[in-house]
Amino acid sequence: SVATNGPLLRPTLQGYLPGHTFELEPGQTLSLTPELQLTVQDPVDYLEVIVNGRVHQSARLDEFAAAGGRLSPLVVDRPGWALIRVVTEYPDHFRAATSAPWFFTVGGRRRVSARSVEFFQQWLSEYEDRLKTLPPKKLERHVPLVRAARVFWKRLAQQAATTDGPGDENRGN
């Protein structure tokens, strides 16, 4: 799927639509080619390929055209995700299109970002503080859900410790 308020973006990664999961074996490396068809009425400011929250490639439309409409391949050897986005130069407001992500698993393991887990643990803590203001009868129905959420985020925090290696946040894949 693609979310847009202007540009029509039809992307694939190695021929697969957004949402696809590429499954790698440990030690395996894939080179995946992002492709897109783009229809716009407004000038395009830039298009980007994002991998694990970092810009893998950024190009203005004229640069993209000069490169023969080709984007740089993604070299994937660890769990993660990628997406493609386009932003136009519309003067009155922001117009953009963003693909859903493609996912990469290695040996069945997906990427878990320690930074993202910390964000959601903090959000849960703040939510618990707000819940404490409820009357006891209303609060009791939330208790099992909050406990389950704590267990879930604790488990993901442990996974993040094993999937985010040194420098992983800066690698771009």
Side-chain angles (χ1 to χ4, degrees):
S1 67
V2 172
T4 184
N5 68 348
L8 178 58
L9 175 64
R10 295 178 305 272
T12 61
L13 183 59
Q14 203 65 31
Y16 290 92
L17 295 171
H20 180 75
T21 298
F22 294 90
E23 298 176 9
L24 291 80
E25 295 300 320
Q28 181 183 9
T29 300
L30 291 179
S31 180
L32 304 170
T33 304
E35 302 148 337
L36 65 99
Q37 295 176 353
L38 179 63
T39 303
V40 293
Q41 290 183 331
D42 307 312
V44 170
D45 189 21
Y46 58 89
L47 62 92
E48 292 180 323
V49 177
I50 308 296
V51 179
N52 295 335
R54 304 270 184 208
V55 176
H56 167 75
Q57 181 178 3
S58 182
R60 295 188 57 82
L61 191 58
D62 58 344
E63 296 168 340
F64 176 65
R70 297 183 197 278
L71 295 167
S72 300
L74 307 180
V75 178
V76 178
D77 63 357
R78 60 183 52 198
W81 57 271
L83 62 80
I84 298 175
R85 69 181 171 198
V86 174
V87 177
T88 69
E89 293 178 336
Y90 192 77
D92 294 334
H93 68 280
F94 181 78
R95 286 194 180 170
T98 301
S99 75
W102 292 268
F103 300 97
F104 318 115
T105 63
V106 177
R109 294 184 57 97
R110 62 188 174 115
R111 181 178 188 270
V112 179
S113 163
R115 193 167 133 200
S116 294
V117 170
E118 288 170 14
F119 171 85
F120 283 106
Q121 286 177 317
Q122 179 64 38
W123 180 87
L124 178 60
S125 177
E126 291 168 7
Y127 182 68
E128 288 180 71
D129 289 342
R130 288 194 311 271
L131 287 175
K132 290 175 187 173
T133 65
L134 293 176
K137 278 291 189 195
K138 287 188 177 182
L139 177 61
E140 79 182 22
R141 68 181 156 145
H142 295 275
V143 170
L145 300 172
V146 169
R147 284 185 180 147
R150 277 193 215 138
V151 169
F152 174 82
W153 290 114
K154 183 176 181 179
R155 189 176 75 245
L156 279 186
Q158 291 166 342
Q159 287 179 18
T162 62
T163 59
D164 277 349
D168 189 46
E169 294 296 324
N170 297 320
R171 275 199 53 179
N173 68 354

